[in-house]
Amino acid sequence: MEEIEVCICKRITLSEILQAIDEEGIKDLETLIEKTKAGTVCKMCISPEEDPYGERDIHLTELLK
């Protein structure tokens, strides 16, 4: 099964993000970005608002809910 890339620019996968949230106990977006570096290039993976054309399947803000 192919892994879903959440942050295409940095090639960060969904499982890497979820692991960081779980292991680090991350509760806020700023910490998630700092720890994983996801969302630091084009920023479209951060939230639907940053991705106006819906190019990303999942966003960091959706994973923190």
Side-chain angles (χ1 to χ4, degrees):
M1 183 171 137
E2 188 174 323
E3 181 70 51
I4 297 168
E5 278 187 338
V6 175
C7 180
I8 293 170
C9 298
K10 292 283 196 172
R11 301 191 57 98
I12 301 169
T13 64
L14 177 59
S15 62
E16 290 172 314
I17 300 272
L18 293 175
Q19 182 177 3
I21 290 170
D22 186 48
E23 289 179 3
E24 304 276 339
I26 297 172
K27 304 260 189 256
D28 63 275
L29 183 60
E30 293 76 24
T31 304
L32 182 59
I33 292 170
E34 179 184 319
K35 294 286 185 180
T36 64
K37 305 301 182 220
T40 58
V41 180
C42 79
K43 303 188 184 337
M44 284 196 293
C45 66
I46 292 176
S47 70
E49 293 77 26
E50 296 287 338
D51 182 17
Y53 299 107
E55 296 179 42
R56 301 298 181 264
D57 293 329
I58 193 160
H59 302 90
L60 300 177
T61 55
E62 296 165 322
L63 297 172
L64 287 170
K65 293 183 178 180

